Amino acid sequence: MRNAHATVTETRNPRRWLILGVICLAQVVVLLDNTVLNLAIPKLTEDLGATTADVQWMINAYALVQSGLLLTAGGLSDRYGRKRSLLIGLLLFGLGSLAAAFSQSAVQLIAARAGMGIGGALLTTTTLAVVMQVFDGRELPKAIGLWTAVSSLGYATGPLIGGVLLAHFWWGSIFLINIPVALLGWLAVAKLVPESKNPEGEHPDLIGALLSTIGMVGVVYAIISGPGHGWGSANVLVAAGVGLVALAVFVRWELHVPHPMLDVGLFRNRRFNGAIAGGLLVAFGMGGSIFLLTQQLQLVLGYGPLEAGLKTAPLALVAVALNVAGLGAKLLEKAGTAMTITIGMVLNASGLAAVALLGTAGRGYEWMLVGLLVMGSGIALAMPAMANAVMSAIPPAKAGSGAGIQGTVSQFGSGLGVAVLGAVLNSRFAALLPVGIGAGAAGSLYEALAAAPTPELKAQVHNAFADGVRDSQLIGALAVVLGGLLAGLLLRRAARSDAAAALPAESGRGSRSGS
């Protein structure tokens, strides 16, 4: 037994914790950008004349391109090298950030964000895959917990850094901060991260990548455009039809192509299905609600960018503190994956609902703070457990593909949450606008306020927007709690099924040993 233990210890990379630090630095590059961009929404609407739909596309252009390429990026990193994928991803992300910083229009910024999504796909899949390669056994949940903690730290520091930049510089500076972080990450990866790959891995499925990207873009375009063009308009119906057909063809293609980007066999694993189904709803609620939170703080409560950044920080900081303390890993060991995810997401949804109902102009910030702290506690418990549930159901040789699936669910769910909850906000805002404000002004709060001729009408416009934000946040909270309950239920059933399947095997071994 001692020899076996010594063999396991010797095979572990002695620099694995330092490597985890480098991996987390690469992860921070992606997260900094997304959190800062949410904070810059009011600036973008003013300086670039961006509508709410434009802003949704600035966020979703990145998420959708990344979602469409994650599965292919995961397979490529498995086959051609995870270290190589990290280096290329950091380079592309840095170049895309440079282009975004100097964009002169909403269309240019959307295009630059789409380019950044290519680099983000390589980074998102590879960071978690490398963690799976250098850690094993009881260290793995702790490593994933720290990886999640650093992700939360990105959410915390992003608004703070972004708030300082937006208070003193033009909005393009929020993209320039990615460049030194990407450069430092590139040098650290080149020096410290070992190369790992599976040369016998699957060939790239470029047709699958194209079909999935077209499908997701079509569906999300229809959702974003619905409030402005009308749900029965040709634009919306054609986009939705193209998206749904492309997704259907994608599924058929993956079932028959020799080297699919999506290993359909993974969906025979009930534990995998439970984590994926719950993760989709959780990402939907969280992505859309964070998108709304920054608008609530700035456009409803009237805080400036720096103040808004400071006031969102407690959410992420409590998640970081609890993950560094190992609370999520300890609960996971004692209560199991299903219960940990359920507890975490119920806490998360409760916090979201509290922020929606208590974060109003008539109340102090301390009421919202309670909701943010509860949200952060839920994230600290649920997110590492969710990632561990997905990755533990996947063979190590397919770590990149597994991380691609996990990332695709997270990014697509988040992008869909921004689109759907943004559409709910637009629809509610338009429906609640006072008589006399043209329907064309419903595209953004600034346009509606400019169209309101009197202080009384301006106050009504502001209240209509606040009510739309609140209603959308409550829908996000409902999605989160449903996601947590669904994941917990499916994972609990999978655990029972695995236990039942193990009993006959153990009985058989006992009978043979007795004879």
Side-chain angles (χ1 to χ4, degrees), residues 35-118:
T35 54
V36 171
L37 183 60
N38 276 322
L39 198 67
I41 288 173
K43 286 273 189 180
L44 293 170
T45 57
E46 287 185 82
D47 295 351
L48 294 181
T51 64
T52 299
D54 289 333
V55 171
Q56 288 174 270
W57 275 113
M58 290 171 191
I59 295 172
N60 278 335
Y62 174 86
L64 289 171
V65 170
Q66 187 184 36
S67 298
L69 296 178
L70 275 170
L71 295 172
T72 296
L76 287 172
S77 69
D78 283 341
R79 183 177 177 85
Y80 297 109
R82 297 171 184 116
K83 176 177 181 176
R84 181 179 300 173
S85 294
L86 273 176
L87 293 173
I88 295 173
L90 286 165
L91 178 63
L92 291 176
F93 199 87
L95 292 173
S97 298
L98 188 64
F102 296 101
S103 297
Q104 299 298 309
S105 67
V107 173
Q108 289 180 15
L109 182 53
I110 291 169
R113 289 277 296 161
M116 291 167 67
I118 301 173

Side-chain angles (χ1 to χ4, degrees), residues 12 104 110 135 169-171 178 197 201 214 255 259 280 305 331 346 366 404 412 425 430 488 496:
R12 290 177 177 172
Q104 299 298 309
I110 291 169
F135 289 95
F169 304 101
W170 100 111
W171 60 263
N178 295 332
K197 57 185 174 180
I214 292 173
L255 288 170
H259 303 286
L280 182 65
L331 183 61
V346 169
E366 62 272 9
F412 181 61
L425 169 59
R496 289 199 194 108

